[in-house]
Amino acid sequence: MKFRILGPLESSMQGKPSTPSATRVRWTLALLLLRANQVVDRGCIIQELWGENPPRSAVTTAQTYIYQLRKNYQRYADQLGWGEFIETRPPGYLLRCHESEIDAFAFERLSGEGIAAHAAGEPERAARLLREALALWRGPVLADITAGPVLTPHLRRLEEARTRAVRTRILADLRLGRHRELIPELRFAALENPFDEWFYEQLMIALSEEGRRADALDAYRQLQRMLDQKLGIEPSHALRQLQHDVLVGVVRSPHVVEEVA
């Protein structure tokens, strides 16, 4: 069985699509997958699906969703020798699944190994692991589900982990001297995150290392102008110092090996 939540929710059994079509059934599955091999309180399911004002039939309806999920997946779990796919475990339910079958868990394992490799001074291995981890993403987490109060913190945590993986992978590539290859990606990231100085910093470093000091200074001016017009503030001291370093031609590798905040 394969479950993918790093993008629209998808599942497949023996290579064949098996994602439930009903919205709330998929929603329930998503919550159980993010808490795989842990007991999910029935009250959490009800709160996620209906908020603070659930209907009187909420408990019965939630039980129906669990029944539909069992019906959809149990025969495959039996073939794999997993036992009950969803076990009733007071005060709720426990979805049994190997973590390797869920893309979010695979991402967290790979990205954790990549970040550790970067910290250990192994940029080649770090870049490889982090690319493999990031390749699992197909879009925003559970892009086809409107998350409620229980799911939302899990989604934010994964998105933050993705951001950290991206930044660490960029730093690993900079350590490896891949400045030219990174410039288009960093330009796009700066446009997508106009108030995030980190991407501008790395773009300026990459451009400067490629001998494109004028372009690096132009990137700084773009950021400066945008911050002034939108927020009425100046770039940070670190960015102003980097601008000075580019002007006098002293940007060196120590700038690119700083740890991700």
Side-chain angles (χ1 to χ4, degrees):
M1 289 196 279
K2 295 289 184 183
F3 297 95
R4 303 205 292 172
I5 64 178
L6 301 179
L9 177 64
E10 294 180 358
S11 68
S12 61
M13 306 293 128
Q14 299 176 333
K16 298 178 181 179
S18 61
T19 311
S21 58
T23 299
R24 289 185 184 272
V25 177
R26 294 203 318 274
W27 200 346
T28 303
L29 174 62
L31 179 57
L32 294 175
L33 286 170
L34 278 168
R35 301 270 299 277
N37 303 309
Q38 302 176 47
V39 175
V40 179
D41 192 302
R42 186 185 294 114
C44 289
I45 298 174
I46 291 171
Q47 184 183 16
E48 173 65 23
L49 298 180
W50 291 284
E52 297 299 325
N53 298 296
R56 291 183 179 180
S57 62
V59 171
T60 301
T61 304
Q63 291 172 337
T64 300
Y65 297 156
I66 295 295
Y67 169 77
Q68 291 175 5
L69 289 171
R70 284 171 170 155
K71 184 178 179 181
N72 196 46
Y73 294 107
Q74 186 58 50
R75 62 191 177 97
Y76 297 100
D78 289 341
Q79 292 173 13
L80 294 169
W82 285 6
E84 285 191 85
F85 178 64
I86 299 177
E87 179 182 342
T88 298
R89 183 83 68 84
Y93 306 97
L94 182 148
L95 182 149
R96 293 186 178 278
C97 188
H98 296 165
E99 292 187 351
S100 62
E101 305 293 333
I102 304 174
D103 61 356
F105 290 96
F107 163 75
E108 290 186 303
R109 176 181 59 80
L110 288 166
S111 63
E113 292 176 4
I115 289 168
H118 178 261
E122 303 175 57
E124 188 72 52
R125 181 167 179 266
R128 175 178 56 80
L129 287 167
L130 290 166
R131 278 194 174 83
E132 187 177 348
L134 292 164
L136 295 171
W137 287 73
R138 298 165 292 115
V141 186
L142 297 173
D144 57 343
I145 292 175
T146 302
V150 181
L151 270 179
T152 295
H154 293 282
L155 271 55
R156 287 177 178 166
R157 178 182 60 80
L158 283 169
E159 292 288 356
E160 289 171 0
R162 182 189 192 185
T163 297
R164 187 180 184 199
V166 168
R167 295 187 180 201
T168 307
R169 199 224 79 228
I170 288 171
L171 290 179
D173 282 337
L174 286 171
R175 281 187 176 186
L176 294 166
R178 296 169 178 166
H179 310 105
R180 183 176 300 176
E181 298 92 328
L182 283 169
I183 288 171
E185 178 184 357
L186 289 168
R187 284 195 187 280
F188 181 77
L191 289 172
E192 288 284 293
N193 304 274
F195 301 112
D196 192 331
E197 293 189 359
W198 191 89
F199 289 110
Y200 281 93
E201 179 184 8
Q202 308 314 312
L203 175 59
M204 290 173 65
I205 290 169
L207 287 166
S208 180
E209 293 289 342
E210 281 296 300
R212 298 170 58 179
R213 291 169 58 194
D215 289 336
L217 292 171
D218 185 58
Y220 176 84
R221 285 190 292 270
Q222 290 176 17
L223 172 65
Q224 184 182 44
R225 184 164 53 250
M226 184 271 299
L227 290 177
D228 179 57
Q229 292 175 353
K230 300 294 185 180
L231 302 178
I233 62 174
E234 282 287 310
S236 66
H237 173 75
L239 261 292
R240 295 197 301 273
Q241 181 62 51
L242 179 57
Q243 181 210 27
H244 175 268
D245 291 348
V246 173
L247 278 169
V248 299
V250 297
V251 177
R252 294 291 184 270
S253 56
H255 284 276
V256 307
V257 299
E258 296 175 1
E259 293 299 323
V260 179

